[in-house]
Amino acid sequence: MVAARAPWSRTIERGQMLRIVDLEGRQAVDFLCYNAHDPADRYAAADTMKINPSGIFLTVGTVLYSVEITPLFTIVADSCGFHDTIGGCCSAPINAFRYDAPYQPNCRDNFIAELGKHGMGKEDIVANINFFMYVPVSEKGEMDMGPSLSKPGDYVDLRAETDALAVLSNCPQINNPVNDYNPTPIRVVVWTPGA
Ligand SMILES: [Zn+2]
């Protein structure tokens, strides 16, 4: 269980599975991943969108590529269908700019805290995935943050294609509807197929 607003990380060995479950629904999960043997070889949002036919909405069959075009994870199951890779993560500065909000827990600070456990810091944050977050884009190119469409129990299964460090933030955002204004817990499960 990952509590509402909390971060989490773990190295997933090649062939292992990572499941992320949106227990109560409408909960965005911000996600970064790195080649465990070379942290500079990290998730590349633009290349992932260019290479995969799934485009900006990640789903079954989407491969998460790194900047060296190393396959890091493949999405092998998805009960939701809307996972974003263009919306980025929430932060104290953007919350102040867009919502005039006082300091609140946020994904950027969660990432910084969690990356610190692995010898990395804010300079290692790149454009991230948002599982269970719906970012519609209009014909004119306008984008919106939510509303979230995920249902209670929705999950996504990721197979590690190399030893990969997964870092996530259970999004604390309360200023827009990506979490239905109510951050909730998620479940993370790691397993080895056949074991
Ligand atoms: Zn967030």
Side-chain angles (χ1 to χ4, degrees):
M1 190 89 85
V2 180
R5 304 174 194 83
W8 177 91
S9 64
R10 180 164 162 179
T11 298
I12 315 297
E13 295 174 12
R14 181 182 179 193
Q16 283 189 315
M17 299 290 300
L18 168 64
R19 172 173 291 181
I20 304 169
V21 186
D22 182 357
L23 292 171
E24 299 183 27
R26 301 187 179 194
Q27 176 59 49
V29 179
D30 292 46
F31 182 89
L32 290 169
C33 51
Y34 303 79
N35 182 337
H37 303 290
D38 175 13
D41 189 23
R42 56 195 56 179
Y43 174 64
D47 290 336
T48 294
M49 287 184 277
K50 277 183 282 193
I51 293 170
N52 286 283
S54 50
I56 66 170
F57 294 121
L58 312 182
T59 189
V60 173
T62 302
V63 178
L64 309 184
Y65 287 98
S66 73
V67 293
E68 301 288 353
I69 315 300
T70 305
L72 296 174
F73 287 97
T74 300
I75 299 177
V76 297
D78 170 24
S79 69
C80 174
F82 294 102
H83 307 288
D84 161 75
T85 199
I86 65 171
C89 72
C90 63
S91 69
I94 195 73
N95 283 341
F97 183 86
R98 293 193 78 197
Y99 308 113
D100 200 24
Y103 182 84
Q104 297 161 341
N106 60 83
C107 288
R108 186 166 189 267
D109 287 345
N110 275 351
F111 279 150
I112 291 170
E114 202 64 27
L115 287 167
K117 300 176 182 176
H118 304 278
M120 293 190 277
K122 62 184 178 183
E123 65 277 11
D124 299 296
I125 298 173
V126 294
N128 61 284
I129 290 168
N130 294 299
F131 288 114
F132 312 112
M133 185 166 125
Y134 180 48
V135 178
V137 178
S138 76
E139 285 186 16
K140 292 180 181 176
E142 301 151 330
M143 57 192 281
D144 211 344
M145 291 289 135
S148 181
L149 302 175
S150 60
K151 306 173 294 297
D154 267 348
Y155 66 95
V156 61
D157 285 349
L158 303 162
R159 183 180 63 227
E161 303 297 356
T162 189
D163 298 343
L165 173 65
V167 179
L168 64 79
S169 167
N170 192 6
C171 181
Q173 181 60 270
I174 54 173
N175 303 291
N176 66 40
V178 297
N179 300 319
D180 200 32
Y181 304 99
N182 178 35
T184 50
I186 59 170
R187 176 167 288 130
V188 176
V189 185
V190 177
W191 77 97
T192 304

